[in-house]
Amino acid sequence: ETGVTQSPTHLIKTRGQQVTLRCSSQSGHNTVSWYQQALGQGPQFIFQYYREEENGRGNFPPRFSGLQFPNYSSELNVNALELDDSALYLCASPPPQRGSSTDTQYFGPGTRLTVL
Amino acid sequence: SQQGEEDPQALSIQEGENATMNCSYKTSINNLQWYRQNSGRGLVHLILIRSNEREKHSGRLRVTLDTSKKSSSLLITASRAADTASYFCATVIQGAQKLVFGQGTRLTINP
């Protein structure tokens, strides 16, 4: 049990729509990262939030945006959905254990997004 | 772009045998980590090896790191059916904030 939860589990949208995915971490860590994992591929880094501000971004267009809230929850928003956005979206946060590397990430179970 | 490359892409062995997966990467790293993923769900952190370490053990897992060859291996001894999963190596590039994953090895343990 990682203490990282995501909602919803599955989501089906049509091309051009907008979607919001949610993540919550019990670790109390002020860093959250989002990853996109296409079928059969490894996860790709979308962006990271630290203390409610974006702190690093991967090769994703501006229609991918995020928010982090003071209660350590986070949102990933994707506008103008495209078919290639179909993927598993994972959020991650460092574990709460004192002394553990902040490079280690606890992942949520993911949200499976299908764009038709 | 992917930093790491896992080899093989798929591996099928009998229960009780050992499984070895390899990972190569391209740039200097702070550490290298291995994760497991069951059935396309969340990733589970298995082990982290720092760039100044050469070998690390955790239960039935043994990880090696060769920074001169920019490669790592994950050995799972005495495999069990529950080890069936995809295994990913991930690196933290010096100065970056992100994990960079390879494409993974799909491991199947046959009873």
Side-chain angles (χ1 to χ4, degrees):
Chain A
E1 180 59 49
T2 65
V4 180
T5 58
Q6 292 186 244
S7 64
T9 304
H10 296 88
L11 201 54
I12 299 175
K13 291 284 188 178
T14 56
R15 193 171 47 184
Q17 286 188 311
Q18 179 266 342
V19 68
T20 297
L21 310 181
R22 294 179 174 82
C23 171
S24 180
S25 172
Q26 297 178 353
S27 72
H29 208 284
N30 50 19
T31 301
V32 64
S33 301
W34 285 89
Y35 291 80
Q36 180 197 65
Q37 186 179 21
L39 196 62
Q41 303 293 315
Q44 297 265 7
F45 175 76
I46 303 175
F47 45 56
Q48 182 184 87
Y49 275 78
Y50 173 69
R51 292 184 175 178
E52 303 173 39
E53 292 193 2
E54 189 176 294
N55 180 45
R57 189 178 185 93
N59 189 27
F60 282 82
R63 60 190 184 84
F64 285 78
S65 63
L67 286 172
Q68 186 185 25
F69 302 100
N71 64 354
Y72 308 115
S73 65
S74 175
E75 290 181 355
L76 165 65
N77 299 288
V78 187
N79 294 322
L81 284 167
E82 301 177 359
L83 298 180
D84 286 348
D85 295 333
S86 294
L88 181 68
Y89 288 86
L90 299 158
C91 74
S93 190
Q97 294 97 325
R98 184 184 295 276
S100 63
S101 170
T102 55
D103 291 341
T104 300
Q105 297 289 310
Y106 276 6
F107 283 83
T111 294
R112 174 76 61 187
L113 173 64
T114 302
V115 182
L116 303 176
Chain B
S1 63
Q2 300 284 359
Q3 152 84 320
E5 297 286 339
E6 277 99 339
D7 172 56
Q9 292 188 353
L11 178 63
S12 181
I13 61 173
Q14 295 300 120
E15 195 167 16
E17 295 180 338
N18 295 341
T20 299
M21 289 159 271
N22 302 296
C23 167
S24 60
Y25 58 92
K26 299 175 183 175
T27 61
S28 296
I29 60 172
N30 289 331
N31 61 64
L32 185 142
Q33 304 172 43
W34 286 88
Y35 287 81
R36 184 186 75 228
Q37 184 176 42
N38 293 86
S39 302
R41 300 304 289 172
L43 286 87
V44 175
H45 179 261
L46 295 176
I47 195 165
L48 179 151
I49 185 166
R50 302 187 188 283
S51 59
N52 61 352
E53 297 176 312
R54 292 295 168 260
E55 187 172 313
K56 200 163 183 179
H57 296 254
S58 177
R60 294 184 295 114
L61 305 180
R62 172 179 170 255
V63 170
T64 62
L65 179 64
D66 187 335
T67 53
S68 66
K69 295 181 179 178
K70 291 186 169 56
S71 68
S72 173
S73 67
L74 171 67
L75 169 67
I76 304 174
T77 60
S79 63
R80 305 167 182 169
D83 295 329
T84 294
S86 292
Y87 291 81
F88 294 89
C89 69
T91 54
V92 177
I93 301 172
Q94 290 177 352
Q97 304 294 331
K98 60 182 180 181
L99 285 173
V100 182
F101 288 85
Q103 293 192 340
T105 293
R106 186 186 304 271
L107 175 65
T108 302
I109 308 299
N110 301 305

